[in-house]
Amino acid sequence: MSEDLKPQQRSIYARQRRVAELVDRRVDSLLSQLKADSGSARATLAALRNAIADAPGSKPELWDITSVHMMDGEVVSDDPTWDEIAVHSALCLFARHQQSRTEPMHRAGFSFGQAAKRLVLARQEEETGGVRSRFNAAATSISVEELVRHLSSIVAQLRDENIPLDYGALAEDIFRFQVPGGANTVRLHWARQYAQQIKKTSEESNEK
């Protein structure tokens, strides 16, 4: 896929994939530790939940779990990179989702758009209901800070309905949202995911 991209696009794509893989590994590690009843994993999740509104790197106790090693040749400034924001935000959101849950709330293939539609169906809401309004608000966010606030609200509702989410994919979405012009790509992906879930649900109903 990346062979057809220009060098700068290939670099962004590589960073986006790295972010997803990093979050996948760290979430899987946390889940394994929770399964083993690790007190340190519970403490890490609590710290992540409390850091959701904080800047990446501002909490020393979270450096090991949220750090992102830069690729050779990457130029960084004094501000958090897109990668650091995506990893920090996705892990904090996962920590909120996993709170008080024994079963894993991270599951590969459960995209944000599909999860949002599952939530609408679980709440038996109309398409103009509260969940859809929050989903639309997330999709039309004008800053990554606003996006994460809306995602946090929806994640809390997903937890209440026991609906999982793919946090590697969500980290990719948060990363791509920050790339110039990337917010429109994220919106399109979410719209397709949401519509796909509608189609699947309709087909399942017809088969019954």
Side-chain angles (χ1 to χ4, degrees):
M1 175 180 178
S2 59
E3 286 80 3
D4 297 329
L5 300 176
K6 295 178 181 178
Q8 184 179 12
Q9 291 174 308
R10 282 201 298 272
S11 174
I12 289 175
Y13 177 75
R15 290 169 62 188
Q16 179 179 316
R17 289 304 308 148
R18 176 186 60 178
V19 159
E21 292 164 2
L22 188 61
V23 168
D24 275 333
R25 287 198 305 271
R26 291 181 180 173
V27 168
D28 285 341
S29 176
L30 284 168
L31 287 170
S32 295
Q33 293 175 60
L34 284 177
K35 191 174 181 179
D37 198 26
S38 166
S40 64
R42 289 194 296 273
T44 296
L45 289 171
L48 284 167
R49 285 193 294 273
N50 291 332
I52 195 165
D54 297 325
S58 62
K59 300 289 185 181
E61 65 270 26
L62 293 176
W63 286 351
D64 288 343
I65 190 75
T66 62
S67 64
V68 180
H69 297 295
M70 296 297 105
M71 292 180 173
D72 290 342
E74 282 188 58
V75 178
V76 296
S77 69
D78 292 334
D79 296 320
T81 64
W82 298 336
D83 319 60
E84 290 166 332
I85 291 170
V87 169
H88 174 90
S89 300
L91 289 172
C92 289
L93 289 166
F94 164 71
R96 182 168 195 188
H97 201 165
Q98 193 61 47
Q99 186 177 17
S100 303
R101 288 293 177 187
T102 55
E103 62 275 35
M105 289 292 99
H106 164 63
R107 193 176 304 172
F110 275 62
S111 67
F112 179 64
Q114 291 172 325
K117 183 58 185 181
R118 286 175 181 264
L119 183 58
V120 169
L121 295 174
R123 296 284 174 89
Q124 297 183 329
E125 290 187 356
E126 298 295 331
E127 282 297 315
T128 56
V131 173
R132 179 57 190 268
S133 295
R134 290 185 178 89
F135 177 66
N136 291 350
T140 57
S141 297
I142 60 174
S143 69
V144 69
E145 293 82 9
E146 181 187 356
L147 172 67
V148 172
R149 284 197 302 272
H150 290 307
L151 290 176
S152 181
S153 174
I154 294 173
V155 159
Q157 295 179 72
L158 292 174
R159 180 190 63 214
D160 292 342
E161 298 295 340
N162 205 33
I163 298 171
L165 187 58
D166 185 332
Y167 277 90
L170 186 65
E172 281 195 83
D173 290 338
I174 296 171
F175 177 92
R176 174 59 65 177
F177 183 90
Q178 300 171 82
V179 176
N184 287 333
T185 301
V186 173
R187 292 183 191 110
L188 178 59
H189 287 172
W190 287 352
R192 288 171 174 169
Q193 294 160 6
Y194 192 89
Q196 181 184 31
Q197 184 62 35
I198 294 173
K199 182 179 179 182
K200 283 184 178 179
T201 303
S202 176
E203 289 173 349
E204 290 167 359
S205 298
N206 291 335
E207 290 172 359
K208 293 179 180 179

